[in-house]
Amino acid sequence: MMTKNLRRLAILLPLPLIAALGGATAAARTTADVLLSQQKPVVASSVEDSTLTADKAVDGSTTTRWASAEGSDPQWIRVDLGQPAAVNRVKLSWEVAYGKDYRIEVSDDGTNFSSVKEVVGGNGATDDLTGLQAHGRFVRLVGTKRGTTYGYSLWELQVYGTTDSSGDTQAPTVPAGLTAGQVTATTAALTWTASTDNVGVSSYDVLRNGAVVASATTAQYNDTGLTANTSYSYAVRARDLAGNVSGTSEPITVNTAAGGTGQFVLAAAGDIADQCTESSNPQCVHPKTARLVQAMNPTAVLTMGDNQYDDAHLSDFRNYYDKSWGQFKSITKPIPGNHETYDDTPFAGYRQYFGSIATPQGKNYYSYNIGNWHFVALDSNDFTTGEGVAEPAQLTWLKQDLAANTKRCVAAAYHHPRFSSGDHGDNPDSIPLWQTLVGAKVDLVLNGHDHHYERFVPQNVNGQKDANGPVQIIGGMGGMTLYDVHSAHPATAKILSAHGVLKLSMTDTTFSSQLIGLDGKVLDSSPTYTCH
């Protein structure tokens, strides 16, 4: 009867209204495809220059574009849809530099991809690929043959489909089994049994004394900054991708230990300031991470190198870094990365901008104390390997400095990590440095260079799990374009391709860490470690 009535109405009604009426029955069966990729996190294998970054391909503008490095195959660009989705259509708006041969891939985890569409002999302009029937959270375009002598360049990459949470009204189950593990004077390690959901649990609200204090992405959370000898009530509840919220778990009571003197908080990150400002580019990240630092109200800010991109001239520091992280300059303990050498005179802009803050002992490396902690800030550009190479003066200084230290807890910060599951991989150049730190029973090592977050459990000189070794954390997520992550090391505790700032909670005898994401949520929490 519905079909007959619509056919009669076709004589009298305009076509758009007929289409709307006819779609009413279809709407009950399926959800229309929507644009999923716009303004979502995106990374690429390369960029032609700092004005043609990957985010330009998903900003909704047909006057801005991403361009890869010229003259090289293959190249790729990957967008994170934020949650699993049915991917039914991908629309590519090519600039002159187009892909002749390419494929569309999807992935659930951003690492393992499967191909869903291959194009051979494309001619540029606009490619509207429909009927894909794929599913995943990450969508990647891989160009294998360029159509020109240039690179690959897209005005827009648009992914259409429906998220798994579309139309979902079922809340997750209530979290159960909330317990407290290690409790110190200032921290409480909480774990619980993961909730279940018909689509998927996205996060957990952690409530302290009835108020939400954090959002955890896994069924554990390490609450920090607590007061010694104090009683706290904790509970948790689950959220799914559609925003449905479970009931609140049974509360537990936690009593912190007495003592814990010398408490302080540090904020840390590396690979920070792109050549952008938030007013000119909403996708500019370093002002957002600066706001996270501000919210932490840290005693000191530690940078892990590559503070300013691409060539760290003094003018670049003043135009970009200074407008965000520059507000913490007076409490910053910086170290240089390889980009600080990309100046007419290596390190000139870095030294002129930070002044004596960066060279308090006349060198790019130095040491200082906070509470019962001894910190060494190192310049890993100095370190090379090779037979017959003399021990760098910095390494001799480091051995003497560590030997003279009287503080119980020791931390080191330098740019190039010994071990990494990121694009740069392991760095053999830093073997002598790593061996020295492990031999001195250093507790914490902070690095940058690879643009991702990776926390390791304590490990020895060979990268094997060892409680006597230092905790290594890669924090290259301070603002620059993120890199892909690869197979994790045996000692990797958590690895994420996400922007954020590392929050370090220190006492005279312990430390713990949290990764705070751009939305203020806790993306990772470490256990509380006792200094060696």
Side-chain angles (χ1 to χ4, degrees):
M1 182 64 69
M2 174 68 75
T3 302
K4 290 180 179 178
N5 288 339
L6 285 173
R7 286 176 180 169
R8 294 190 186 104
L9 286 170
I11 303 173
L12 302 173
L13 298 178
L15 288 175
L17 185 53
I18 295 171
L21 290 170
T25 55
R29 296 190 302 269
T30 184
T31 303
D33 287 344
V34 297
L35 178 59
L36 304 174
S37 53
Q38 191 160 308
Q39 305 290 353
K40 292 297 172 61
V42 60
V43 293
S45 55
S46 67
V47 294
E48 183 180 334
D49 62 48
S50 61
T51 67
L52 303 174
T53 50
D55 59 284
K56 303 296 195 303
V58 294
D59 63 0
S61 171
T62 56
T63 62
T64 60
R65 62 187 175 94
W66 161 70
S68 72
E70 295 183 354
S72 177
D73 291 316
Q75 298 287 342
W76 54 263
I77 182 170
R78 186 203 76 186
V79 61
D80 178 357
L81 303 180
Q83 61 173 288
V87 176
N88 302 322
R89 176 188 176 199
V90 174
K91 184 178 180 181
L92 307 172
S93 300
W94 294 102
E95 195 250 351
V96 173
Y98 68 94
K100 186 175 183 179
D101 297 351
Y102 61 88
R103 62 181 181 270
I104 303 297
E105 301 176 335
V106 298
S107 169
D108 293 322
D109 58 10
T111 301
N112 302 298
F113 284 84
S114 58
S115 178
V116 297
K117 179 72 175 182
E118 291 198 26
V119 173
V120 177
N123 59 2
T126 299
D127 290 341
D128 200 348
L129 311 175
T130 59
L132 298 184
Q133 296 183 336
H135 186 274
R137 172 173 170 170
F138 300 85
V139 177
R140 182 166 71 178
L141 162 69
V142 181
T144 55
K145 186 175 182 180
R146 289 163 290 119
T148 69
T149 58
Y150 304 109
Y152 296 85
S153 183
L154 285 168
W155 294 111
E156 283 293 294
L157 163 63
Q158 296 176 309
V159 179
Y160 293 86
T162 56
T163 60
D164 288 0
S165 62
S166 298
D168 176 29
T169 59
Q170 181 176 324
T173 59
V174 177
L178 176 63
T179 58
Q182 183 178 22
V183 178
T184 70
T186 60
T187 66
L190 307 174
T191 59
W192 55 91
T193 302
S195 298
T196 59
D197 186 69
N198 61 316
V199 174
V201 175
S202 61
S203 63
Y204 297 90
D205 294 339
V206 180
L207 294 86
R208 186 205 307 143
N209 296 337
V212 175
V213 293
S215 176
T217 56
T218 60
Q220 61 181 14
Y221 176 72
N222 191 38
D223 198 17
T224 63
L226 305 179
T227 301
N229 198 27
T230 302
S231 178
Y232 294 94
S233 174
Y234 287 100
V236 291
R237 62 192 182 207
R239 294 180 178 269
D240 67 14
L241 296 167
N244 301 306
V245 183
S246 76
T248 303
S249 71
E250 288 292 326
I252 63 170
T253 299
V254 173
N255 296 303
T256 54
T261 58
Q263 302 172 30
F264 61 95
V265 170
L266 303 175
D271 304 273
I272 298 170
D274 197 356
Q275 293 181 337
C276 64
T277 60
E278 212 165 23
S279 60
S280 61
N281 179 5
Q283 298 302 309
C284 191
V285 177
H286 63 94
K288 298 177 176 63
T289 56
R291 286 196 286 272
L292 298 177
V293 175
Q294 188 175 37
M296 295 177 192
N297 190 27
T299 297
V301 174
L302 279 57
T303 71
M304 284 93 93
D306 283 2
N307 307 278
Q308 177 61 58
Y309 282 74
D310 283 332
D311 302 331
H313 301 300
L314 177 60
S315 59
D316 295 321
F317 272 103
R318 288 173 172 169
N319 290 333
Y320 307 110
Y321 180 96
D322 191 63
K323 290 179 168 56
S324 57
W325 284 60
Q327 64 187 295
F328 316 115
K329 188 175 178 180
S330 63
I331 59 170
T332 296
K333 304 294 185 181
I335 57 170
N338 50 291
H339 277 265
E340 271 72 35
T341 70
Y342 303 164
D343 200 347
D344 299 329
T345 299
F347 306 110
Y350 168 75
R351 290 173 175 170
Q352 290 170 356
Y353 175 74
F354 284 112
S356 60
I357 292 173
T359 56
Q361 297 165 12
K363 304 288 185 181
N364 284 348
Y365 48 89
Y366 55 97
S367 63
Y368 57 97
N369 297 321
I370 303 178
N372 199 32
W373 279 82
H374 182 67
F375 294 86
V376 286
L378 305 171
D379 178 8
S380 56
N381 293 290
D382 267 2
F383 291 90
T384 59
T385 59
E387 197 171 326
V389 176
E391 178 174 291
Q394 181 178 177
L395 189 57
T396 301
W397 170 87
L398 175 62
K399 293 175 180 179
Q400 295 170 346
D401 181 88
L402 293 173
N405 168 52
T406 59
K407 301 295 184 180
R408 173 174 176 175
C409 304
V410 184
Y414 58 94
H415 188 60
H416 303 85
R418 171 64 188 96
F419 301 106
S420 172
S421 304
D423 273 4
H424 289 300
D426 294 350
N427 178 30
D429 287 352
S430 63
I431 288 176
L433 175 56
W434 178 255
Q435 289 174 329
T436 300
L437 297 174
V438 173
K441 295 191 177 299
V442 167
D443 301 287
L444 175 65
V445 174
L446 303 174
N447 305 121
H449 198 44
D450 262 329
H451 298 185
H452 73 283
Y453 167 83
E454 187 168 7
R455 176 173 59 84
F456 296 82
V457 300
Q459 53 188 330
N460 61 22
V461 292
N462 299 315
Q464 299 167 334
K465 297 178 182 179
D466 187 339
N468 294 313
V471 173
Q472 180 194 343
I473 302 177
I474 298 174
M477 66 289 155
M480 286 301 298
T481 302
L482 297 169
Y483 293 165
D484 270 354
V485 295
H486 306 289
S487 298
H489 277 264
T492 298
K494 185 74 171 183
I495 184 169
L496 291 169
S497 182
H499 287 113
V501 174
L502 186 64
K503 179 181 179 181
L504 296 164
S505 298
M506 328 294 277
T507 75
D508 279 352
T509 57
T510 67
F511 70 98
S512 62
S513 67
Q514 294 178 321
L515 174 62
I516 310 299
L518 294 184
D519 57 1
K521 293 182 179 179
V522 177
L523 304 183
D524 180 45
S525 294
S526 80
T528 298
Y529 290 100
T530 300
C531 298
H532 297 317

